[in-house]
Amino acid sequence: MRKYEIVFIVKPMEEEGTNAVIEKFKNLIVKNGGTIDKEDRWGKRRLAYEIKDCTDGYYCLFNVTCEPACVKECDRVMKITDDLLKHMIVRDETKPAAKAEEGQE
């Protein structure tokens, strides 16, 4: 199992609609064998530039632990979901402090 960070921006809509989109991805990750370690909802923010005729979006961050297949499926579904403006999935590659110090010598 690997750790990932998933950030996505939901189109501006009613609170129930936004919560439904977020729950959809939470359920998708759990259904595919992953666990959500932390969910951080940043809320509605202004975008740096207009995306799909929207100037605002609802930001959400998931820290998850799952297999690469789960991330692949999540990415696939996020690409075809019309309620998302953007998404990004990155692998969390934080190293233990002892190994980081060894590399600096």
Coordinates of all heavy atoms in Angstrom, one line a residue, residues 45-83:
R45 N -13.2 28.8 -3.2 CA -12.1 29.8 -3.4 C -12.2 30.3 -4.9 O -12.6 29.6 -5.7 CB -10.7 29.2 -3.1 CG -10.6 28.7 -1.8 CD -9.3 28.6 -1.3 NE -9.3 28.2 0.1 CZ -8.2 28.1 0.8 NH1 -7.1 28.5 0.3 NH2 -8.3 27.7 2.1
R46 N -11.6 31.5 -5.0 CA -11.5 32.0 -6.4 C -10.4 31.4 -7.1 O -9.3 31.2 -6.6 CB -11.3 33.5 -6.3 CG -11.2 34.2 -7.7 CD -11.4 35.7 -7.7 NE -12.7 36.1 -7.3 CZ -13.9 36.0 -8.0 NH1 -13.9 35.5 -9.1 NH2 -15.0 36.5 -7.4
L47 N -10.6 31.0 -8.4 CA -9.6 30.4 -9.2 C -8.6 31.4 -9.8 O -9.0 32.6 -10.0 CB -10.3 29.6 -10.4 CG -11.3 28.5 -10.0 CD1 -12.0 28.0 -11.2 CD2 -10.6 27.4 -9.2
A48 N -7.4 31.0 -10.1 CA -6.4 31.9 -10.6 C -6.8 32.3 -12.0 O -6.5 33.4 -12.5 CB -5.0 31.3 -10.6
Y49 N -7.5 31.4 -12.8 CA -8.0 31.7 -14.1 C -9.3 31.0 -14.3 O -9.6 30.0 -13.6 CB -6.9 31.3 -15.2 CG -6.4 29.9 -15.1 CD1 -7.1 28.9 -15.8 CD2 -5.3 29.6 -14.2 CE1 -6.6 27.6 -15.7 CE2 -4.9 28.3 -14.1 CZ -5.5 27.3 -14.9 OH -5.1 26.0 -14.8
E50 N -10.0 31.4 -15.3 CA -11.3 30.8 -15.6 C -11.2 29.4 -16.1 O -10.4 29.1 -17.1 CB -12.1 31.6 -16.6 CG -13.5 31.3 -16.7 CD -14.3 32.3 -17.5 OE1 -14.5 33.4 -17.1 OE2 -14.7 31.9 -18.7
I51 N -11.9 28.4 -15.6 CA -11.9 27.0 -16.0 C -13.3 26.6 -16.3 O -14.2 26.7 -15.4 CB -11.3 26.1 -15.0 CG1 -9.9 26.5 -14.6 CG2 -11.3 24.6 -15.5 CD1 -9.3 25.7 -13.4
K52 N -13.6 26.2 -17.5 CA -14.9 25.8 -18.0 C -16.0 26.8 -17.6 O -17.0 26.5 -17.0 CB -15.3 24.4 -17.3 CG -14.4 23.3 -17.8 CD -14.8 22.0 -17.1 CE -13.8 20.8 -17.5 NZ -14.1 19.6 -16.8
D53 N -15.7 28.1 -17.8 CA -16.6 29.2 -17.6 C -16.9 29.4 -16.1 O -17.9 30.0 -15.7 CB -18.0 29.0 -18.3 CG -17.8 29.0 -19.8 OD1 -16.9 29.8 -20.3 OD2 -18.5 28.3 -20.5
C54 N -16.0 28.9 -15.2 CA -16.2 29.1 -13.7 C -15.0 29.9 -13.2 O -13.9 29.7 -13.6 CB -16.2 27.7 -13.0 SG -17.6 26.7 -13.4
T55 N -15.3 30.8 -12.3 CA -14.3 31.6 -11.7 C -14.0 31.2 -10.2 O -13.1 31.6 -9.6 CB -14.6 33.1 -11.7 OG1 -15.9 33.3 -11.1 CG2 -14.7 33.6 -13.1
D56 N -14.9 30.4 -9.7 CA -14.8 29.9 -8.3 C -14.9 28.4 -8.3 O -15.4 27.8 -9.3 CB -15.9 30.4 -7.4 CG -15.9 31.9 -7.2 OD1 -14.8 32.4 -7.1 OD2 -16.9 32.5 -7.1
G57 N -14.4 27.7 -7.3 CA -14.4 26.3 -7.1 C -14.3 25.9 -5.7 O -13.8 26.6 -4.9
Y58 N -14.8 24.7 -5.4 CA -14.7 24.2 -4.0 C -13.5 23.2 -4.0 O -13.5 22.1 -4.6 CB -16.0 23.5 -3.6 CG -16.1 23.1 -2.2 CD1 -16.7 24.0 -1.3 CD2 -15.6 21.9 -1.7 CE1 -16.8 23.7 0.1 CE2 -15.6 21.6 -0.3 CZ -16.2 22.5 0.5 OH -16.3 22.2 1.9
Y59 N -12.5 23.5 -3.2 CA -11.3 22.7 -3.1 C -11.4 21.6 -2.0 O -11.9 21.9 -0.9 CB -10.1 23.6 -2.8 CG -9.6 24.4 -3.9 CD1 -10.3 25.5 -4.4 CD2 -8.4 24.1 -4.5 CE1 -9.8 26.3 -5.4 CE2 -7.9 24.9 -5.6 CZ -8.6 26.0 -6.0 OH -8.1 26.8 -7.0
C60 N -10.9 20.4 -2.3 CA -10.9 19.3 -1.3 C -9.6 18.5 -1.5 O -9.1 18.3 -2.6 CB -12.1 18.4 -1.6 SG -12.3 17.2 -0.3
L61 N -9.0 18.1 -0.4 CA -7.8 17.3 -0.3 C -8.0 16.0 0.4 O -8.6 16.1 1.5 CB -6.7 18.1 0.3 CG -5.4 17.3 0.7 CD1 -4.6 16.9 -0.5 CD2 -4.5 18.1 1.7
F62 N -7.6 14.9 -0.1 CA -7.7 13.6 0.5 C -6.2 13.1 0.7 O -5.5 13.1 -0.3 CB -8.4 12.5 -0.3 CG -9.9 12.7 -0.4 CD1 -10.6 12.1 -1.3 CD2 -10.6 13.5 0.5 CE1 -12.0 12.2 -1.4 CE2 -12.0 13.6 0.4 CZ -12.7 13.0 -0.5
N63 N -5.9 12.6 1.9 CA -4.6 11.9 2.0 C -5.1 10.4 2.2 O -5.9 10.1 3.1 CB -3.9 12.3 3.3 CG -3.3 13.7 3.2 OD1 -3.6 14.4 2.3 ND2 -2.4 14.0 4.1
V64 N -4.7 9.6 1.2 CA -5.2 8.2 1.2 C -4.0 7.2 1.2 O -2.9 7.5 0.8 CB -6.1 8.0 -0.1 CG1 -7.2 8.9 -0.1 CG2 -5.3 8.1 -1.4
T65 N -4.4 6.0 1.6 CA -3.5 4.9 1.5 C -4.2 3.8 0.7 O -5.3 3.4 1.1 CB -3.1 4.3 2.9 OG1 -2.6 5.4 3.7 CG2 -2.1 3.2 2.9
C66 N -3.6 3.4 -0.4 CA -4.2 2.5 -1.3 C -3.2 1.9 -2.3 O -2.0 2.3 -2.3 CB -5.4 3.1 -2.0 SG -4.9 4.5 -3.1
E67 N -3.7 1.0 -3.1 CA -2.8 0.3 -4.1 C -2.9 1.2 -5.4 O -3.8 2.0 -5.6 CB -3.4 -1.1 -4.4 CG -3.3 -2.1 -3.3 CD -1.9 -2.4 -2.9 OE1 -1.0 -2.3 -3.8 OE2 -1.6 -2.8 -1.8
P68 N -1.9 1.1 -6.2 CA -1.9 1.9 -7.5 C -3.1 1.7 -8.4 O -3.6 2.6 -9.0 CB -0.6 1.4 -8.2 CG 0.3 1.0 -7.1 CD -0.6 0.4 -6.1
A69 N -3.7 0.5 -8.3 CA -4.9 0.2 -9.1 C -6.1 1.1 -8.7 O -6.9 1.6 -9.5 CB -5.3 -1.3 -9.0
C70 N -6.2 1.3 -7.4 CA -7.2 2.2 -6.8 C -7.1 3.6 -7.3 O -8.0 4.3 -7.7 CB -7.2 2.1 -5.3 SG -8.4 3.2 -4.5
V71 N -5.8 4.1 -7.3 CA -5.6 5.4 -7.8 C -5.9 5.6 -9.3 O -6.4 6.6 -9.7 CB -4.1 5.8 -7.5 CG1 -3.7 7.1 -8.2 CG2 -3.9 5.9 -6.0
K72 N -5.5 4.5 -10.0 CA -5.8 4.5 -11.5 C -7.3 4.6 -11.7 O -7.7 5.4 -12.6 CB -5.2 3.3 -12.1 CG -5.3 3.2 -13.6 CD -4.6 2.0 -14.2 CE -4.7 2.0 -15.7 NZ -4.0 0.9 -16.3
E73 N -8.1 3.9 -11.0 CA -9.6 3.9 -11.1 C -10.1 5.3 -10.7 O -11.0 5.8 -11.4 CB -10.2 2.8 -10.3 CG -11.7 2.8 -10.3 CD -12.3 2.5 -11.7 OE1 -11.6 2.2 -12.7 OE2 -13.5 2.8 -11.9
C74 N -9.6 5.8 -9.6 CA -10.0 7.1 -9.2 C -9.7 8.2 -10.2 O -10.6 9.0 -10.5 CB -9.4 7.4 -7.8 SG -10.0 8.9 -7.0
D75 N -8.5 8.2 -10.8 CA -8.2 9.1 -11.8 C -9.1 9.0 -13.0 O -9.5 10.0 -13.6 CB -6.7 8.9 -12.2 CG -6.2 9.9 -13.2 OD1 -6.4 11.1 -13.0 OD2 -5.6 9.5 -14.2
R76 N -9.4 7.8 -13.4 CA -10.3 7.5 -14.6 C -11.6 8.1 -14.3 O -12.2 8.8 -15.2 CB -10.4 6.0 -14.8 CG -11.2 5.7 -16.1 CD -11.5 4.2 -16.2 NE -12.5 3.8 -15.2 CZ -13.8 4.0 -15.3 NH1 -14.3 4.6 -16.4 NH2 -14.7 3.5 -14.4
V77 N -12.2 7.9 -13.2 CA -13.5 8.4 -12.8 C -13.5 9.9 -12.7 O -14.4 10.6 -13.2 CB -14.1 7.8 -11.6 CG1 -15.4 8.4 -11.1 CG2 -14.3 6.3 -11.8
M78 N -12.4 10.5 -12.2 CA -12.3 11.9 -12.0 C -12.3 12.6 -13.4 O -12.8 13.7 -13.6 CB -11.1 12.3 -11.2 CG -11.3 12.1 -9.7 SD -9.9 12.6 -8.8 CE -10.6 12.8 -7.2
K79 N -11.6 12.0 -14.4 CA -11.5 12.5 -15.7 C -12.9 12.6 -16.4 O -13.1 13.6 -17.2 CB -10.6 11.7 -16.6 CG -9.1 11.9 -16.2 CD -8.2 11.0 -17.1 CE -6.8 11.2 -16.7 NZ -5.9 10.3 -17.5
I80 N -13.8 11.7 -16.1 CA -15.1 11.7 -16.8 C -16.2 12.3 -16.0 O -17.3 12.4 -16.4 CB -15.5 10.3 -17.2 CG1 -15.6 9.4 -16.0 CG2 -14.5 9.7 -18.2 CD1 -16.2 8.0 -16.4
T81 N -15.9 12.9 -14.8 CA -16.9 13.5 -14.0 C -17.0 15.0 -14.3 O -16.1 15.7 -14.2 CB -16.5 13.4 -12.5 OG1 -16.4 12.0 -12.1 CG2 -17.6 14.0 -11.6
D82 N -18.2 15.4 -14.8 CA -18.4 16.7 -15.3 C -18.4 17.8 -14.1 O -18.2 18.9 -14.4 CB -19.7 16.8 -16.0 CG -19.7 16.1 -17.4 OD1 -18.6 16.0 -17.9 OD2 -20.7 15.6 -17.8
D83 N -18.7 17.3 -12.9 CA -18.8 18.2 -11.8 C -17.4 18.6 -11.2 O -17.3 19.5 -10.4 CB -19.6 17.6 -10.6 CG -21.0 17.5 -11.0 OD1 -21.5 18.3 -11.8 OD2 -21.7 16.6 -10.5

